[in-house]
Amino acid sequence: NLSVAYRLAAQRKQIDAALAPFLLSLETLREVKNKMRTELEYGLRRETQASATVKMLPTYVCGTPDGTEKGKFLALDLGGTNFRVLLVKIRSGRRRSVQMYNKIFAIPLEIMQGTGEELFDHIVQCIADFLEYMGIKGARLPLGFTFSFPCRQGTLVGWTKGFKATDCEGEDVVDMLREAIRRRNEFDLDIVAVVNDTVGTMMTCGYEDPNCEIGLIAGTGSNVCYMEDMKNIEIVEGNEGKMCINTEWGAFGDNGCIDNIRTKYDKEVDEGSLNPGKQRYEKMTSGMYLGEIVRQILIDLTKQGLLFRGQISESLRKRGIFETKFLSQIESDRLALLQVRRILQQLGLDSTCEDSIIVKEVCGAVSKRAAQLCGAGLAAIVEKKRENRGVERLQITVGVDGTLYKLHPQVLQETVKELAPQCDVTFMLSEDGSGKGAALITAVAKRLHNIDKYLYAMRLSDETLIDVMARFRREMKNGLSRDFNPTAAVKMLPTFVRSIPDGSEKGDFIALDLGGSYFRILRVKVSHEKKQTVQMESEIYNTPEDIMHGSGTRLFDHVAECLGDFMEKQQIKDKKLPVGFTFSFPCRQSKLDEGILITWTKRFKASGVEGADVVRLLNRAIKKRGDYDADIMAVVNDTVGTMMTCGFDDQRCEVGLIIGTGTNACYMEEMRHIDLVEGDEGRMCINTEWGAFGDDGSLEDIRTEFDREIDRGSLNPGKQLFEKMVSGLYMGELVRLILVKMAKEGLLFEGRITPELLTKGKFETKHVSAIEKSKEGLNKAKEILTRLGVEPSHEDCIAVQHVCTIVSFRSANLVASTLGAILNQLRDNKGVGRLRTTVGVDGSLYKMHPQYARRLHKTTRRLVPDSEVRFLLSESGSGKGAAMVTAVAYRLSEQHRLIDETLAEFKLTHEQLLQVKKRMRAEMEAGLKKKTHETAKVKMLPTFVRSTPDGTGKGMPLLE
């Protein structure tokens, strides 16, 4: 008995040694998770994606089902030896349901490993049989194709799972299917989407649970997909929304990063496979290979005399004899050892009861390791999702399909829980497979297509933006030209601001800032003690609507009254301080302290001001009061004020940009290019007044029906068309018009339209900003829409957020294209290969919208790659800038005064010059007279030269 105990103990030691590498510690699993996370990031980045093992393939599936999908769809499901064709009928509304009819067709081995043409002809034959069977051969149905192999934009990257059909890798599988349908010439199909089985699984489960954003396949193959934020997907253009990423994680480890956990059995299975060195993670986790790993272990244990009496039978030597289905059966808890022994005998393995115990243990170790490895990979993804959302705790659902998941669901779930403790993960088994998912993706694609048809015109490609950039550059040139300026839409107004602050400015200044319903007055003190400092005190005054729309006299009397009140509060009514006037409307200037209003914008309509000098009107209003005096030294636009404010902090700043209620830009232009002003030396700031870009029809091809409706309902139809496409005054109204149209079409709010939604101005631009916030955006959408009388569904909120995104993104893109034209002009002016400059920016849209600044920066850098642009936010507004312009003007005037004082004694009056002439005459007379010659200051010495040349040239005088 003792010898038997020793033998059993020795056996147990050998078996434990063989299975020890399959027992993974929590520390090892955490290491696998971290490595997977690293590989996920590599696959998403543009510079590392080509060499990444985990390819992170974009699927172009950008939404999950929302319950509004409906219709009949055809679905194909190809991913193994069986090919399934389905007819899926989806009903929406309260009685929503999915009915499915399907037929399964075999894919013979010779077809799987034959030519691509043979494979797709066979697929089309199966489709024809199904259509015939269902009696729908004449219908052109939308089709979704579940193609469970690695694809990049529909192009097959490489076969897996035993497929080897030639002439397919590197080809578009949809084109190959269409070509096969054309060859048969019996029916036609509308192929809408090609998807991976993981995506199909996620969509199937997502139909039941909107929180499902991950799809996991744990069956013949192993793979996962998930919804990734577009801003993290560098290999696809665009930043907004989400897209499903097919990770193709089966290739994880192909670069050797998990070699430390690969066993000798894994290596033997890999070397004997169709694709040695590839899909290493899949070969450790998927059903296609687990049975073969078990067979290799059983051979090793038999060689050691621990199994089957040390006899390796012929059947055990056969590759593939130990199928994964046997592994599943043997592992079943309900299966008695006698039944395990019967399965082994069916495989030609003469086993004892003891053998059955060991075989069951081996199967358990191999499949549990697979579940743990899948759990480690999944933990990396759910943690990434949590970080994307920026939440402390994530609740998410994983849709799962595959026979192996059903073996050890508990092991996989516990592994995820241990490795991602801040994530509450629900696992949902896909009962209907990925075919239903393909049909749902097709339905979602159709729904999104219906929504996107309203927004398509607002999606501007880089090609279009570059074209807009070129058009604006031409407009700039026309505006600067004396010949073309009168008819140019973009007026390119000279400001007579010739330099930015140089750091030596000092003094006490008043700044006025008029550009909207609020009028701001500032006192700005610039001092030089240890370093240059700026102290500011300001007061904001309301500009009532009746004054904005009344007479010019009333408007400037109001401005003068506010200024008097401010000076009273500051106790400076007895001083005559230099004043800078930020007047944020298009003005023509011939000098710095003059501004002739061309036209009102931004809801101002005061009469008698257009064509008049606003400085003169203000001076008249101040003089009429008579209780204080002011020296208005400069009138500037808000863009100029912004540039000067930022220029005080960064002397490289040579562009000012406003993106708020209105939009405009200014920049420092070379004098030699400004035909409108005399002189070729130096530079001058040009106020582009780009809000009027397009008023001559140059943007008609990109204006939408909604832009035209906005324009028709505005105070100034036909004017400021670019501003109406991009600025904060109009953005909310643009969104409202789109929502009304979509609701009328039944695409939103179940077709309900409330009086509030029909009221102009009810949907404000601040609502767009709130809805686009990454964390609470959807909650804000629900709150805002509820206030408008709409009872939105979750899907309505997603769609409204999508509309807001498209409208605000277009704005940022268009501003980037016009700014790009200015940057190109600056670079060409300087004659440099790479421009380094700073853009000063102000405006509520730029400051308050959560995504706007980032989008603008990114698009600008993409459109003008040969520039290094710093965007500097103007913290103090354009009022400080007006003070800075005044300070520069004051500094220059002081410089001129000091120079004049220094040179004053050199300046002689006419009377002084006559006196000098008279004295010189008297001195000359004294020098000629013998009597006074000796004392004369002007000696008048004789030379004895008695004549000048007479032109004859005769004679040769002797010179001594």
Side-chain angles (χ1 to χ4, degrees), residues 165-182:
T166 58
D167 307 319
C168 294
E169 292 179 356
E171 297 296 326
D172 187 323
V173 295
V174 173
D175 286 348
M176 295 184 80
L177 179 58
R178 285 192 177 121
E179 193 57 46
I181 291 170
R182 275 196 293 271

Side-chain angles (χ1 to χ4, degrees), residues 536-585:
M536 292 196 302
E537 296 174 71
S538 71
E539 194 87 30
I540 292 174
Y541 297 88
N542 189 34
T543 308
E545 194 90 7
D546 61 321
I547 286 181
M548 289 164 68
H549 294 175
S551 70
T553 303
R554 277 191 71 201
L555 173 63
F556 284 95
D557 283 350
H558 173 72
V559 170
E561 184 185 336
C562 295
L563 179 55
D565 177 73
F566 180 79
M567 294 179 81
E568 182 86 54
K569 286 175 179 173
Q570 291 287 317
Q571 298 179 350
I572 50 172
K573 260 193 169 180
D574 57 333
K575 295 182 180 179
K576 187 180 180 182
L577 295 181
V579 176
F581 187 9
T582 301
F583 187 75
S584 306
F585 305 92

Side-chain angles (χ1 to χ4, degrees), residues 261-329:
I261 61 166
R262 288 176 76 223
T263 66
K264 63 178 180 178
Y265 311 112
D266 295 312
K267 290 167 185 171
E268 283 167 3
V269 168
D270 180 34
E271 285 161 13
S273 67
L274 282 170
N275 54 351
K278 294 183 178 178
Q279 300 294 108
R280 289 180 178 176
Y281 184 68
E282 183 170 75
K283 286 169 184 169
M284 298 168 77
T285 57
S286 77
M288 187 161 188
Y289 302 96
L290 296 192
E292 187 59 17
I293 293 172
V294 169
R295 189 182 73 88
Q296 294 290 347
I297 298 170
L298 297 184
I299 288 173
D300 192 32
L301 293 177
T302 305
K303 283 179 181 176
Q304 294 178 53
L306 301 170
L307 273 177
F308 312 131
R309 301 178 184 88
Q311 299 297 313
I312 300 175
S313 64
E314 281 305 310
S315 58
L316 194 57
R317 293 181 193 277
K318 287 182 186 174
R319 181 176 294 280
I321 189 71
F322 203 98
E323 295 176 41
T324 301
K325 69 178 180 181
F326 299 132
L327 183 144
S328 302
Q329 290 168 4

Side-chain angles (χ1 to χ4, degrees), residues 505-548:
E505 293 76 19
K506 60 182 178 180
D508 196 353
F509 308 96
I510 297 288
L512 313 179
D513 192 351
L514 180 67
S517 54
Y518 294 104
F519 169 50
R520 189 166 172 235
I521 306 178
L522 305 92
R523 184 180 182 186
V524 182
K525 295 178 185 176
V526 187
S527 60
H528 283 271
E529 289 168 4
K530 291 181 181 176
K531 62 174 185 176
Q532 191 176 42
T533 58
V534 178
Q535 287 179 288
M536 292 196 302
E537 296 174 71
S538 71
E539 194 87 30
I540 292 174
Y541 297 88
N542 189 34
T543 308
E545 194 90 7
D546 61 321
I547 286 181
M548 289 164 68

